[in-house]
Amino acid sequence: MSERLEDIASAMVTPGQGILAADESSGTIKKRFDTIGLESTEENRRDYREMMFRAEAAMKDCISGVILYDETIRQKAADGTPLVDVIKASGAVPGIKVDGGAKPLAGFDGETITEGLDGLRDRLAEYHGLGARFAKWRGVISISNDLPSWGAVKQNAQALARYAALCQEAGIVPIVEPEVLMDGKPGDHSIDRCYEVTEWVLKTVFAELYDARVSLEGMVLKPNMVIDGKNARKASREEVAEKTVRCLKSTVPAAVPGIAFLSGGQSDEEATAHLSLMNAGFDMPWALTFSYGRALQAAALKTWAGKKENVAAAQKAFAHRAKMNSLAATGQWKQDLEAA
Ligand code: 13P
């Protein structure tokens, strides 16, 4: 594959394909495993991820890239093949989460700053050697009547921009992820408040990317959808699609090759339906696809339940979700396909 940033970014948003976010940190994967009563050991984490990466047809047809965690990029499949090679064999691009997580921002009660810039240049060089061709950094923006503050928006945008510039220097495409939380506290904000905050955050992020001399052609944006809070849900699917596209059009330059949404706590089907409505209903200058974690994995995780004998069924559940989202990425998903 070409090593040009523009070509890697285009491959990540290939029509009808999207990104599998399998980069849960040790703490997050433990929470996921708790839901199926499984201990989070290195072997269980490996088996779980290998199950998805070896779902051949789904990986080949629907998945353009996989975001890995530091442990996973170094792991080998049960037969000794590096997991990175399993991913590459399917045609997907291996990627790596490089942020160190969102930590309390000093002086800003209830807000966070994402850590991990110190030493990042060296870590990126190592990850490039391990096969990663894109990376992810997630800035987390709290939302309420009073939040976010300008200080938190600005500092998270600056960190994203510094990260993105370092990635491009290392020949790695940055996924720039400023997430305005849908499932944070109190989570009772309206869709219009989400619009206002998302627009502000994206404008700030692109201003910082410009100042940091980041090439927009060599990045992928991973935003939240414009949606009401988890404890306020009332907007229709059509309203979410329309407001999300309007907000992105007013903030994201056309030079960006693609936008890959996070699912953020939406149900599997909602995340798919929203994406499909956007692609079916609007002309847009960028590719619009998915970079889902929970919305791609929830069904497979439940079906797998940590048991070898469930691997084939879990792969089927994963393949179904991947196929539904692949259709959504070209606006062709229909409700009745869910039953199939
Ligand atoms: P969700 O789709 O579960 O929100 O996860 C995507 C992700 O990578 C968050 O950083």
Side-chain angles (χ1 to χ4, degrees):
M1 201 185 86
S2 160
E3 293 279 312
R4 290 172 67 230
L5 291 173
E6 295 84 336
D7 296 333
I8 299 167
S10 304
M12 290 162 64
V13 295
T14 299
Q17 298 193 2
I19 295 167
L20 166 62
D23 60 324
E24 297 84 2
S25 62
S26 309
T28 304
I29 197 73
K30 182 182 178 312
K31 270 193 244 163
R32 305 278 184 267
F33 280 8
D34 283 347
T35 66
I36 55 166
L38 183 71
E39 194 188 346
S40 182
T41 63
E42 183 175 347
E43 196 180 335
N44 285 340
R45 294 191 290 270
R46 193 276 309 277
D47 288 349
Y48 174 59
R49 279 145 177 170
E50 182 175 356
M51 177 271 291
M52 289 184 287
F53 305 162
R54 288 211 191 265
E56 261 172 61
M59 289 290 296
K60 187 169 146 290
D61 299 338
C62 310
I63 303 297
S64 55
V66 181
I67 318 177
L68 302 168
Y69 187 56
D70 179 78
E71 174 185 86
T72 323
I73 200 171
R74 304 168 193 281
Q75 265 174 334
K76 292 190 167 67
D79 69 1
T81 314
L83 288 177
V84 168
D85 291 346
V86 176
I87 292 166
K88 281 197 209 157
S90 77
V93 185
I96 181 76
K97 169 201 187 76
V98 300
D99 67 63
K103 305 287 159 61
L105 177 60
F108 291 77
D109 201 21
E111 301 193 280
T112 60
I113 183 73
T114 301
E115 296 190 342
L117 287 171
D118 286 357
L120 183 55
R121 176 177 276 125
D122 295 341
R123 288 198 291 128
L124 285 166
E126 189 197 4
Y127 288 137
H128 191 276
L130 290 168
R133 290 298 177 270
F134 73 91
K136 179 189 108 170
W137 178 288
R138 173 173 174 258
V140 182
I141 306 295
S142 302
I143 173 171
S144 68
N145 284 336
D146 310 316
L147 298 180
S149 66
W150 169 235
V153 170
K154 189 167 175 63
Q155 292 176 76
N156 275 290
Q158 283 173 335
L160 277 164
R162 282 186 58 198
Y163 140 82
L166 282 162
C167 284
Q168 293 189 336
E169 180 191 84
I172 287 180
V173 170
I175 290 188
V176 173
E177 180 179 5
E179 176 175 5
V180 177
L181 289 176
M182 164 192 170
D183 64 353
K185 292 205 174 84
D188 58 358
H189 58 276
S190 67
I191 185 169
D192 292 323
R193 176 71 182 142
C194 180
Y195 186 108
E196 182 176 73
V197 170
T198 303
E199 182 181 46
W200 186 32
V201 167
L202 290 176
K203 282 197 166 147
T204 308
V205 166
F206 280 99
E208 292 293 341
L209 290 170
Y210 178 80
D211 287 349
R213 302 181 175 168
V214 171
S215 154
L216 300 184
E217 291 82 355
M219 64 162 275
V220 170
L221 179 72
K222 177 163 173 168
N224 53 283
M225 292 185 194
V226 173
I227 192 165
D228 34 22
K230 199 171 142 197
N231 301 321
R233 312 304 311 285
K234 33 183 185 316
S236 67
R237 290 174 170 181
E238 288 72 18
E239 186 179 356
V240 171
E242 190 273 324
K243 288 186 170 164
T244 301
V245 171
R246 189 145 49 88
C247 185
L248 293 172
K249 280 192 171 177
S250 75
T251 53
V252 184
V256 172
I259 296 175
F261 291 106
L262 59 96
S263 60
Q266 299 179 51
S267 72
D268 297 0
E269 201 176 297
E270 266 182 342
T272 304
H274 290 147
L275 177 62
S276 196
L277 283 169
M278 289 182 224
N279 278 311
F282 302 89
D283 280 326
M284 293 170 285
W286 356 258
L288 210 61
T289 189
F290 57 90
S291 175
Y292 295 159
R294 284 163 284 180
L296 264 176
Q297 297 181 49
L301 176 68
K302 206 168 153 214
T303 306
W304 177 60
K307 301 200 174 86
K308 266 202 180 67
E309 61 268 30
N310 294 339
V311 165
Q315 286 176 324
K316 253 179 111 172
F318 172 64
H320 175 70
R321 231 34 267 152
K323 180 68 190 169
M324 294 299 102
N325 284 306
S326 158
L327 289 168
T330 52
Q332 290 173 313
W333 173 85
K334 297 274 174 312
Q335 183 80 54
D336 54 9
L337 297 170
E338 287 294 341

